[in-house]
Amino acid sequence: QNRNSISEFSSTGAALSGASGFTGGGLVETASIAIDNAGNVWVTNSGGSSLSEFTSGGTALSSSTGFKGGGLANPFGLAVDSFGNVWVANNNANSVSEFSSSGTALSPSTGFTGGGLSAPSGIAIDGSGRIWAGNTSISSLSELSSTGSAISLSGGYTGGGLDVPWSIAIDASGNIWLPNRSNPAGLSEFNSSGSPQSGSSGYSGGGISHPFDVAVDGSGNVWTVNTSGVIAEVNSSGTAITGSTGYRASLSGAEGIAIDGSGNLWAANGGNSSMTEFT
């Protein structure tokens, strides 16, 4: 987030981008990244309230100011739907934005609002094309239709231990998982109807401590990266798989997590500008 670039590595951890990373395309204070079905890379720019797009080879497709409009306001999380449209959570507004695969704003100038949206951070799209966003200011979960119409009520879905959910992931059964940044031991789960499944305080154990990011693997197990410097794993029922101290290795201020096609886990370390890989 402190540099205006993105980096690319091979599956073995070899750097594929240059020493300065890929730049241009409006990159400024980058926040989140996603890859569409065409292999193009999308980035939210929290500093420029814009979106950047790059080819799989690192060539900028967006202009020097990025794609703007559509209600973008300190955009954070983003997700790509099955049509190639890009959805963005606006952390400085109570809205989400939608852009076409060519970077044209599809949402109005205020973004899509309602459904309890309040400073959303994480955003994800389920198998039916519905949009889900975690709200950091009121600790709730919002649901919108594929056209941006609110499905959840004005307060959003609550309970399940939600406490400043910073990111979001959806499993193969359509259940929604959120890590609670302000809850020292809480991972929340909601079903596809918005009902909490994780009790009143969320799932705990396995080293979960102020979880920041979340990902679901091909077996339905859920992984979190925690500000305490560990990675924790629970099964689809929320039962801890990792021991009480989680997995540690060379993690340093890890904040982002992703799982590749081989099931390997990658964590981005903000503490020492590196990445850690787990099999």
Side-chain angles (χ1 to χ4, degrees):
Q1 195 169 18
N2 293 328
R3 294 190 63 182
N4 304 331
S5 65
I6 56 175
S7 300
E8 181 186 12
F9 288 76
S10 73
S11 59
T12 59
L16 299 178
S17 46
S20 300
F22 297 126
T23 59
L27 290 175
V28 54
E29 295 182 25
T30 58
S32 296
I33 192 167
I35 300 174
D36 65 22
N37 291 333
N40 295 325
V41 180
W42 293 82
V43 185
T44 50
N45 301 300
S46 61
S49 289
S50 64
L51 279 175
S52 295
E53 182 186 11
F54 288 76
T55 67
S56 58
T59 300
L61 296 176
S62 48
S63 71
S64 60
T65 56
F67 299 127
K68 291 180 174 288
L72 288 175
N74 186 26
F76 195 83
L78 76 163
V80 183
D81 67 22
S82 60
F83 299 102
N85 297 325
V86 181
W87 292 80
V88 182
N90 297 303
N91 196 238
N92 271 10
N94 303 332
S95 67
V96 298
S97 299
E98 181 188 11
F99 283 74
S100 72
S101 59
S102 59
T104 300
L106 301 177
S107 48
S109 59
T110 56
F112 295 124
T113 58
L117 286 170
S118 183
S121 175
I123 190 168
I125 302 167
D126 67 19
S128 299
R130 293 173 297 181
I131 315 303
W132 297 82
N135 301 298
T136 59
S137 65
I138 60 173
S139 296
S140 68
L141 174 65
S142 294
E143 178 187 10
L144 283 72
S145 72
S146 59
T147 59
S149 299
I151 295 176
S152 50
L153 299 178
S154 58
Y157 303 124
T158 58
L162 277 181
D163 194 357
V164 190
W166 202 249
S167 65
I168 189 170
I170 300 176
D171 65 24
S173 298
N175 297 314
I176 298 93
W177 295 81
L178 305 100
N180 299 297
R181 191 174 183 183
S182 291
N183 188 337
L187 176 64
S188 297
E189 179 191 10
F190 287 73
N191 65 19
S192 58
S193 298
S195 297
Q197 306 297 298
S198 45
S200 60
S201 58
Y203 300 128
S204 60
I208 294 175
S209 180
H210 297 283
F212 191 88
D213 199 8
V214 64
V216 182
D217 68 21
S219 299
N221 297 324
V222 182
W223 298 77
T224 67
V225 62
N226 301 269
T227 54
S228 58
V230 304
I231 286 177
E233 180 188 11
V234 302
N235 64 20
S236 58
S237 299
T239 302
I241 295 176
T242 44
S244 60
T245 57
Y247 298 129
R248 291 181 178 272
S250 56
L251 295 170
S252 176
E255 294 183 347
I257 191 171
I259 299 171
D260 66 23
S262 298
N264 298 321
L265 189 79
W266 295 80
N269 299 300
N272 62 7
S273 299
S274 70
M275 290 195 303
T276 301
E277 181 188 11
F278 293 79
T279 58

